[in-house]
Amino acid sequence: AKTQGRGQFCFFDEAMDRQATERRQLELELRQTIEDRALQVQYQPLACLETGQVNGFEALVRWNHPEQGYIGPDVFIPIAEESGLINELGDFVLETVIREAASWVPPLRVAINLSPVQFRNKNLITKINKLLEETKLDPGRLELEITEGVLIHDTKTALSTLESLRNLGIRIAMDDFGTGYSSLSYFRMFPFDKVKIDQSFVRDMIQNPQSLAIVQAVIGLGKGLGLSVVGEGVETEEQLAALRDEGCSMVQGFHISRPQPIEYFASVIKRSKVF
Ligand code: C2E
Ligand code: CA
Ligand code: CA
Ligand code: CA
């Protein structure tokens, strides 16, 4: 406690101070880690439900902190977004992943998550275009995953960015669909190639009729619009079978594989074999 006089609030103040200090410390360390190019990327396969074939991987950034061990992107991406580090972090991911994927056997695709902050950066398209030219990666094998957060603020600019990316031949996926401020009108306004059903719905679609109904609706919507539909967070054979019954096109989740360093998938990226 700081002083007796401040009574019951002093402990609370101290906890707040400590939290703020820890966060500033983490931010400094993250800045250094990005500068040192010491973040890692893991890859999680997406499999076609009909053929069982892996047709691509989602890239997921990782931070292995020297003292604190593994820190999840759910923790450090928001810090990067608030502190202005997200563009450097995002550039690291784009460079690392596009260079990596350029060596995979076609038609394997790679999906990269884009933060809304990155998406609004004016240099994004030039940057991606340069990397595609440098690596000769077919733009049709690059997919960018965005969330609704990208679309709600400046709809006109978002639309023109999406159209430029599409004109380069890059594919666009709507991530975490059904959470946040999902609006059906987005599908009329924006050119998507894929919709990913959020894992919260897949997780309890077996036990919860509401979740099942939402999964069915998103699959129906996606198919009606000619999009490929991915069920995310598939952890059991039962969920896999249920998604197949509902006509989902692709699955991703621990049941198929956890995210891993790319070396783990050496045989897949060389031969595109059945998983
Ligand atoms: P996301 O894009 O929805 O990625 C899927 C998350 O679900 C990943 O968590 C993945 O490891 C996890 N996951 C996959 N299958 C399963 C499963 O069967 N069960 C469970 N419980 N989880 C599963 P991760 O890697 O911790 O990433 C969390 C979020 O951080 C991502 O959610 C994405 O929003 C963000 N993120 C990750 N990498 C990047 C990046 O390079 N750039 C940006 N901007 N965001 C990223
Ligand atoms: Ca994603
Ligand atoms: Ca997702
Ligand atoms: Ca998510």
Side-chain angles (χ1 to χ4, degrees), residues 33-35 37 39 41 43 59 61 77 80 84-100 112-115 117-131 134-135 144:
T33 308
I34 296 168
E35 216 171 278
R37 300 181 73 80
L39 291 173
V41 179
Y43 296 83
V61 67
I77 295 281
L85 291 169
I86 190 68
N87 282 307
E88 281 91 355
L89 189 157
D91 287 354
F92 167 80
V93 172
L94 284 168
E95 289 163 23
T96 308
V97 173
I98 292 176
R99 286 176 188 148
E100 169 58 46
I112 300 178
N113 292 286
L114 277 192
S115 145
V117 182
Q118 262 181 297
F119 188 81
R120 287 193 285 272
N121 187 311
K122 287 187 192 64
N123 298 322
L124 177 74
I125 295 173
T126 320
K127 238 177 260 169
I128 292 178
N129 206 16
K130 263 176 75 179
L131 283 165
E134 172 204 307
T135 59
L144 300 174

Side-chain angles (χ1 to χ4, degrees), residues 13-254:
D13 283 353
E14 275 182 9
M16 297 263 284
D17 282 353
R18 187 154 27 76
Q19 246 180 25
T21 309
E22 278 170 10
R23 193 189 152 100
R24 262 196 308 277
Q25 181 62 26
L26 211 57
E27 183 187 317
L28 285 174
E29 289 168 343
L30 181 59
R31 186 182 301 274
Q32 191 60 51
T33 308
I34 296 168
E35 216 171 278
D36 298 343
R37 300 181 73 80
L39 291 173
Q40 280 118 40
V41 179
Q42 290 192 345
Y43 296 83
Q44 187 179 36
L46 284 89
C48 173
L49 256 174
E50 212 172 304
T51 62
Q53 194 108 13
V54 170
N55 65 11
F57 294 88
E58 176 176 0
L60 296 157
V61 67
R62 297 287 177 258
W63 183 10
N64 197 351
H65 189 281
E67 289 107 42
Q68 297 181 37
Y70 170 78
I71 301 175
D74 282 335
V75 173
F76 67 82
I77 295 281
I79 296 180
E81 281 171 338
E82 283 158 33
S83 58
L85 291 169
I86 190 68
N87 282 307
E88 281 91 355
L89 189 157
D91 287 354
F92 167 80
V93 172
L94 284 168
E95 289 163 23
T96 308
V97 173
I98 292 176
R99 286 176 188 148
E100 169 58 46
S103 72
W104 303 349
V105 70
L108 280 176
R109 291 201 180 109
V110 71
I112 300 178
N113 292 286
L114 277 192
S115 145
V117 182
Q118 262 181 297
F119 188 81
R120 287 193 285 272
N121 187 311
K122 287 187 192 64
N123 298 322
L124 177 74
I125 295 173
T126 320
K127 238 177 260 169
I128 292 178
N129 206 16
K130 263 176 75 179
L131 283 165
L132 290 173
E133 282 174 1
E134 172 204 307
T135 59
K136 309 275 188 292
L137 177 71
D138 171 4
R141 293 173 56 203
L142 174 62
E143 194 163 76
L144 300 174
E145 298 195 356
I146 62 169
T147 52
E148 291 123 343
V150 160
L151 310 174
I152 47 179
H153 293 298
D154 183 352
T155 306
K156 255 178 87 183
T157 313
L159 182 57
S160 101
T161 306
L162 279 184
E163 280 174 344
S164 308
L165 291 166
R166 271 300 228 53
N167 288 339
L168 288 174
I170 295 164
R171 294 163 49 92
I172 308 290
M174 162 67 82
D175 201 0
D176 299 350
F177 188 70
T179 63
Y181 299 93
S182 308
S183 164
L184 294 182
S185 62
Y186 289 148
F187 286 103
R188 197 171 51 188
M189 272 188 284
F190 301 103
F192 294 108
D193 300 279
K194 177 182 275 184
V195 53
K196 301 184 81 172
I197 308 172
D198 190 68
Q199 41 183 288
S200 58
F201 303 112
V202 173
R203 188 166 306 134
D204 60 6
M205 66 182 285
I206 309 285
Q207 303 92 310
N208 182 324
Q210 279 78 20
S211 293
L212 176 61
I214 292 168
V215 169
Q216 287 168 330
V218 179
I219 293 172
L221 174 73
K223 285 186 132 180
L225 293 165
L227 311 180
S228 121
V229 183
V230 184
E232 283 197 281
V234 178
E235 293 186 352
T236 67
E237 185 59 42
E238 217 179 348
Q239 291 163 349
L240 186 92
L243 287 167
R244 181 183 287 122
D245 288 347
E246 299 304 336
C248 192
S249 10
M250 287 204 264
V251 280
Q252 180 180 4
F254 293 173

